[in-house]
Amino acid sequence: MDTFGSLAVVAIASYIGITVFAQSVLKSITADLPIAKSVSLQFLFAAILGVLIGLAANIEFEKTHPGVLISLAVNIQFEKTHLIVFAAGFVNAWGAYCQWQAYKSSLSKTSILSPLSGVITAALAAILLGEAVLYRNPWSLVGIVLLFSSTFFLIGKGEGVHLKFLLAMVTIFGVVTFTMKYFANSDIPLPTFLSLWYPGAFFGSLIPLWINRREPGKLLQSRSWKIPLASMGIIASLASTYWAFQEAPANVVLPITSFGVILPTMLVGLWYFKEKQTINRKEKVGFLLGFLGLAALVAARQLT
């Protein structure tokens, strides 16, 4: 779809609002609960919700098309694309674990640098799907350079762990988001997508859970209610992302959602979580470069 219709506006606006809220909840969890355990439990709740949505859609389909579908489980094992979606969800769990670790260090810094994952996604879309409009404009190259440059100002000495998780996060999410775009083009129904993606993510989360099996901290406590809330947030966020990609091309969705999500989330980190108290002059330059880089990517889209 080359036009920017009203449904695309609603889908993108929904994604922005839901995602900012969900990221704020995730940051709160990292301060109160053990991360590996929380990630796994979050994906367990999301997997249950995803499967229930898929089964409900499957039952509704069979009411109007009796005998066409045997069951969701039987269909999954014979569809290659379904297995690929499951595998992408599996890999996404690693990106989520890295994201939570990066948020624990700094929500604001991680947020302003997260558009790097969009750069990876758009590059893959340009190479493999032919959506190369974004990269024909020199402003896009300026934006990419500014974003990468901001990393050197925002991540200082002694923050190697944050940098490691940040780079892993943007790489994994960039590839995984491209996968969502690819399968949105492949017309896999959203309920089916959710019923595959999140079970895959849950099983993927078991690996960092096992690696961090001696992680200190109790999972079940008074603040544990945040985890199912985060689960509903991330599944709603993914659903709205998938919807947006069905309504508009990646080079339209990504710049707008990046700007619309990153800035509010960064401000939440700086003011609500009081990260501004530890920001020095060098890091302020990094935030400025990141903002300019993000603005340049949006300008590149507007000038095409």
Side-chain angles (χ1 to χ4, degrees), residues 27-61:
K27 168 65 178 179
S28 178
I29 291 174
T30 64
D32 298 328
L33 299 168
I35 293 178
K37 296 174 185 176
S38 298
V39 170
S40 190
L41 185 58
Q42 176 205 230
F43 281 129
L44 174 60
F45 283 123
I48 293 171
L49 287 172
V51 169
L52 289 176
I53 292 170
L55 288 174
N58 194 48
I59 291 171
E60 185 63 29
F61 185 86

Short mmCIF file of all heavy atoms in Angstrom, two decimals, residues 27-61:
data_model
loop_
_atom_site.label_atom_id
_atom_site.label_comp_id
_atom_site.label_asym_id
_atom_site.label_seq_id
_atom_site.Cartn_x
_atom_site.Cartn_y
_atom_site.Cartn_z
N LYS A 27 10.28 -0.66 32.36
CA LYS A 27 11.32 0.01 33.15
C LYS A 27 11.04 -0.15 34.64
O LYS A 27 11.95 -0.41 35.44
CB LYS A 27 11.38 1.49 32.78
CG LYS A 27 12.21 2.36 33.73
CD LYS A 27 13.69 1.98 33.73
CE LYS A 27 14.46 2.91 34.64
NZ LYS A 27 15.91 2.57 34.70
N SER A 28 9.78 0.00 35.01
CA SER A 28 9.40 -0.14 36.42
C SER A 28 9.69 -1.54 36.92
O SER A 28 10.16 -1.73 38.05
CB SER A 28 7.91 0.20 36.58
OG SER A 28 7.50 0.04 37.92
N ILE A 29 9.44 -2.55 36.08
CA ILE A 29 9.68 -3.94 36.47
C ILE A 29 11.16 -4.19 36.73
O ILE A 29 11.54 -4.88 37.68
CB ILE A 29 9.15 -4.91 35.40
CG1 ILE A 29 7.62 -4.87 35.37
CG2 ILE A 29 9.63 -6.34 35.67
CD1 ILE A 29 7.01 -5.68 34.25
N THR A 30 12.02 -3.62 35.87
CA THR A 30 13.47 -3.87 36.01
C THR A 30 14.02 -3.34 37.33
O THR A 30 15.05 -3.81 37.81
CB THR A 30 14.26 -3.23 34.85
OG1 THR A 30 14.12 -1.80 34.89
CG2 THR A 30 13.78 -3.75 33.50
N ALA A 31 13.33 -2.36 37.91
CA ALA A 31 13.79 -1.80 39.18
C ALA A 31 13.29 -2.60 40.38
O ALA A 31 13.86 -2.50 41.47
CB ALA A 31 13.31 -0.35 39.31
N ASP A 32 12.25 -3.41 40.17
CA ASP A 32 11.61 -4.08 41.30
C ASP A 32 11.74 -5.60 41.30
O ASP A 32 11.66 -6.22 42.36
CB ASP A 32 10.10 -3.74 41.33
CG ASP A 32 9.85 -2.26 41.53
OD1 ASP A 32 10.66 -1.60 42.20
OD2 ASP A 32 8.84 -1.76 41.00
N LEU A 33 11.91 -6.22 40.12
CA LEU A 33 11.81 -7.67 40.01
C LEU A 33 13.01 -8.24 39.26
O LEU A 33 13.65 -7.54 38.47
CB LEU A 33 10.52 -8.05 39.27
CG LEU A 33 9.20 -7.60 39.94
CD1 LEU A 33 8.04 -7.76 38.96
CD2 LEU A 33 8.95 -8.40 41.20
N PRO A 34 13.34 -9.54 39.47
CA PRO A 34 14.43 -10.17 38.72
C PRO A 34 14.09 -10.24 37.23
O PRO A 34 12.99 -10.66 36.86
CB PRO A 34 14.52 -11.57 39.34
CG PRO A 34 13.20 -11.79 40.00
CD PRO A 34 12.73 -10.45 40.45
N ILE A 35 15.04 -9.81 36.39
CA ILE A 35 14.74 -9.59 34.97
C ILE A 35 14.46 -10.87 34.21
O ILE A 35 13.45 -10.99 33.51
CB ILE A 35 15.87 -8.78 34.32
CG1 ILE A 35 15.90 -7.37 34.89
CG2 ILE A 35 15.70 -8.73 32.79
CD1 ILE A 35 17.01 -6.49 34.36
N ALA A 36 15.36 -11.85 34.27
CA ALA A 36 15.19 -13.08 33.48
C ALA A 36 13.89 -13.78 33.83
O ALA A 36 13.15 -14.24 32.95
CB ALA A 36 16.38 -14.01 33.68
N LYS A 37 13.58 -13.86 35.12
CA LYS A 37 12.34 -14.51 35.55
C LYS A 37 11.13 -13.71 35.07
O LYS A 37 10.12 -14.29 34.63
CB LYS A 37 12.32 -14.63 37.07
CG LYS A 37 13.41 -15.54 37.64
CD LYS A 37 13.42 -15.49 39.16
CE LYS A 37 14.57 -16.30 39.74
NZ LYS A 37 14.64 -16.19 41.23
N SER A 38 11.21 -12.40 35.15
CA SER A 38 10.08 -11.54 34.76
C SER A 38 9.83 -11.63 33.25
O SER A 38 8.67 -11.67 32.82
CB SER A 38 10.35 -10.09 35.16
OG SER A 38 10.49 -9.97 36.56
N VAL A 39 10.90 -11.64 32.46
CA VAL A 39 10.75 -11.76 31.00
C VAL A 39 10.04 -13.05 30.65
O VAL A 39 9.11 -13.08 29.84
CB VAL A 39 12.12 -11.68 30.30
CG1 VAL A 39 11.99 -12.06 28.83
CG2 VAL A 39 12.72 -10.29 30.43
N SER A 40 10.47 -14.15 31.26
CA SER A 40 9.87 -15.44 30.96
C SER A 40 8.41 -15.50 31.37
O SER A 40 7.55 -15.98 30.61
CB SER A 40 10.66 -16.55 31.68
OG SER A 40 10.25 -17.82 31.23
N LEU A 41 8.10 -14.98 32.56
CA LEU A 41 6.71 -14.99 33.01
C LEU A 41 5.85 -14.07 32.15
O LEU A 41 4.69 -14.39 31.85
CB LEU A 41 6.64 -14.55 34.48
CG LEU A 41 5.25 -14.62 35.13
CD1 LEU A 41 4.71 -16.05 35.08
CD2 LEU A 41 5.32 -14.14 36.58
N GLN A 42 6.40 -12.95 31.73
CA GLN A 42 5.67 -12.04 30.85
C GLN A 42 5.28 -12.75 29.55
O GLN A 42 4.14 -12.67 29.10
CB GLN A 42 6.52 -10.81 30.53
CG GLN A 42 5.85 -9.88 29.53
CD GLN A 42 6.86 -9.02 28.78
OE1 GLN A 42 6.70 -7.83 28.70
NE2 GLN A 42 7.89 -9.64 28.24
N PHE A 43 6.24 -13.46 28.97
CA PHE A 43 5.96 -14.15 27.72
C PHE A 43 5.03 -15.35 27.91
O PHE A 43 4.31 -15.73 26.99
CB PHE A 43 7.26 -14.58 27.03
CG PHE A 43 7.95 -13.47 26.31
CD1 PHE A 43 9.29 -13.21 26.51
CD2 PHE A 43 7.26 -12.67 25.42
CE1 PHE A 43 9.93 -12.17 25.85
CE2 PHE A 43 7.88 -11.62 24.74
CZ PHE A 43 9.22 -11.38 24.96
N LEU A 44 5.03 -15.93 29.11
CA LEU A 44 4.07 -17.00 29.39
C LEU A 44 2.65 -16.45 29.35
O LEU A 44 1.76 -17.04 28.71
CB LEU A 44 4.36 -17.63 30.75
CG LEU A 44 3.34 -18.69 31.23
CD1 LEU A 44 3.27 -19.85 30.24
CD2 LEU A 44 3.69 -19.17 32.63
N PHE A 45 2.42 -15.32 30.03
CA PHE A 45 1.11 -14.69 29.99
C PHE A 45 0.74 -14.30 28.56
O PHE A 45 -0.40 -14.51 28.12
CB PHE A 45 1.09 -13.45 30.88
CG PHE A 45 0.98 -13.74 32.34
CD1 PHE A 45 1.94 -13.28 33.24
CD2 PHE A 45 -0.09 -14.46 32.84
CE1 PHE A 45 1.83 -13.54 34.59
CE2 PHE A 45 -0.20 -14.74 34.20
CZ PHE A 45 0.76 -14.27 35.08
N ALA A 46 1.69 -13.72 27.83
CA ALA A 46 1.43 -13.30 26.45
C ALA A 46 1.14 -14.50 25.55
O ALA A 46 0.29 -14.43 24.66
CB ALA A 46 2.63 -12.51 25.90
N ALA A 47 1.83 -15.62 25.78
CA ALA A 47 1.60 -16.83 24.98
C ALA A 47 0.19 -17.36 25.22
O ALA A 47 -0.50 -17.77 24.27
CB ALA A 47 2.64 -17.90 25.34
N ILE A 48 -0.24 -17.35 26.48
CA ILE A 48 -1.59 -17.82 26.79
C ILE A 48 -2.62 -16.93 26.09
O ILE A 48 -3.57 -17.43 25.46
CB ILE A 48 -1.82 -17.83 28.32
CG1 ILE A 48 -0.94 -18.89 28.98
CG2 ILE A 48 -3.29 -18.08 28.64
CD1 ILE A 48 -0.93 -18.84 30.48
N LEU A 49 -2.43 -15.61 26.18
CA LEU A 49 -3.34 -14.69 25.51
C LEU A 49 -3.33 -14.89 24.00
O LEU A 49 -4.38 -14.92 23.35
CB LEU A 49 -2.95 -13.24 25.84
CG LEU A 49 -3.27 -12.74 27.25
CD1 LEU A 49 -2.65 -11.37 27.47
CD2 LEU A 49 -4.77 -12.67 27.47
N GLY A 50 -2.12 -15.05 23.43
CA GLY A 50 -1.99 -15.23 21.99
C GLY A 50 -2.68 -16.49 21.50
O GLY A 50 -3.37 -16.48 20.47
N VAL A 51 -2.49 -17.58 22.22
CA VAL A 51 -3.12 -18.85 21.83
C VAL A 51 -4.64 -18.76 21.96
O VAL A 51 -5.38 -19.25 21.09
CB VAL A 51 -2.57 -20.01 22.69
CG1 VAL A 51 -3.40 -21.28 22.48
CG2 VAL A 51 -1.12 -20.28 22.33
N LEU A 52 -5.13 -18.13 23.03
CA LEU A 52 -6.58 -17.97 23.19
C LEU A 52 -7.17 -17.14 22.05
O LEU A 52 -8.25 -17.45 21.53
CB LEU A 52 -6.88 -17.31 24.53
CG LEU A 52 -6.64 -18.17 25.78
CD1 LEU A 52 -6.88 -17.36 27.04
CD2 LEU A 52 -7.52 -19.42 25.76
N ILE A 53 -6.46 -16.07 21.65
CA ILE A 53 -6.92 -15.26 20.53
C ILE A 53 -6.95 -16.08 19.24
O ILE A 53 -7.91 -16.03 18.46
CB ILE A 53 -6.02 -14.01 20.35
CG1 ILE A 53 -6.22 -13.05 21.53
CG2 ILE A 53 -6.33 -13.30 19.04
CD1 ILE A 53 -5.21 -11.92 21.57
N GLY A 54 -5.87 -16.87 19.02
CA GLY A 54 -5.81 -17.71 17.83
C GLY A 54 -6.90 -18.76 17.81
O GLY A 54 -7.53 -19.01 16.77
N LEU A 55 -7.15 -19.41 18.94
CA LEU A 55 -8.19 -20.43 19.02
C LEU A 55 -9.58 -19.83 18.82
O LEU A 55 -10.42 -20.42 18.13
CB LEU A 55 -8.12 -21.14 20.37
CG LEU A 55 -6.94 -22.09 20.58
CD1 LEU A 55 -6.91 -22.60 22.01
CD2 LEU A 55 -7.00 -23.26 19.59
N ALA A 56 -9.81 -18.65 19.41
CA ALA A 56 -11.10 -17.99 19.24
C ALA A 56 -11.36 -17.65 17.78
O ALA A 56 -12.46 -17.86 17.26
CB ALA A 56 -11.16 -16.72 20.09
N ALA A 57 -10.33 -17.15 17.10
CA ALA A 57 -10.47 -16.83 15.68
C ALA A 57 -10.68 -18.09 14.86
O ALA A 57 -11.46 -18.12 13.90
CB ALA A 57 -9.22 -16.08 15.19
N ASN A 58 -9.99 -19.18 15.25
CA ASN A 58 -10.11 -20.45 14.55
C ASN A 58 -11.52 -21.03 14.69
O ASN A 58 -12.12 -21.51 13.72
CB ASN A 58 -9.09 -21.45 15.11
CG ASN A 58 -8.92 -22.67 14.21
OD1 ASN A 58 -8.76 -22.54 13.01
ND2 ASN A 58 -8.96 -23.84 14.82
N ILE A 59 -12.07 -20.94 15.91
CA ILE A 59 -13.42 -21.44 16.15
C ILE A 59 -14.44 -20.63 15.36
O ILE A 59 -15.37 -21.19 14.76
CB ILE A 59 -13.73 -21.38 17.66
CG1 ILE A 59 -12.88 -22.41 18.41
CG2 ILE A 59 -15.22 -21.64 17.92
CD1 ILE A 59 -12.95 -22.28 19.91
N GLU A 60 -14.26 -19.31 15.35
CA GLU A 60 -15.17 -18.44 14.60
C GLU A 60 -15.11 -18.76 13.10
O GLU A 60 -16.14 -18.77 12.42
CB GLU A 60 -14.81 -16.98 14.85
CG GLU A 60 -15.77 -15.98 14.22
CD GLU A 60 -17.18 -16.09 14.80
OE1 GLU A 60 -17.33 -16.50 15.97
OE2 GLU A 60 -18.13 -15.77 14.05
N PHE A 61 -13.88 -19.04 12.60
CA PHE A 61 -13.73 -19.36 11.18
C PHE A 61 -14.44 -20.66 10.85
O PHE A 61 -15.09 -20.80 9.81
CB PHE A 61 -12.25 -19.45 10.83
CG PHE A 61 -11.98 -19.66 9.36
CD1 PHE A 61 -11.92 -18.58 8.50
CD2 PHE A 61 -11.81 -20.93 8.83
CE1 PHE A 61 -11.67 -18.76 7.15
CE2 PHE A 61 -11.57 -21.13 7.49
CZ PHE A 61 -11.50 -20.04 6.64
#
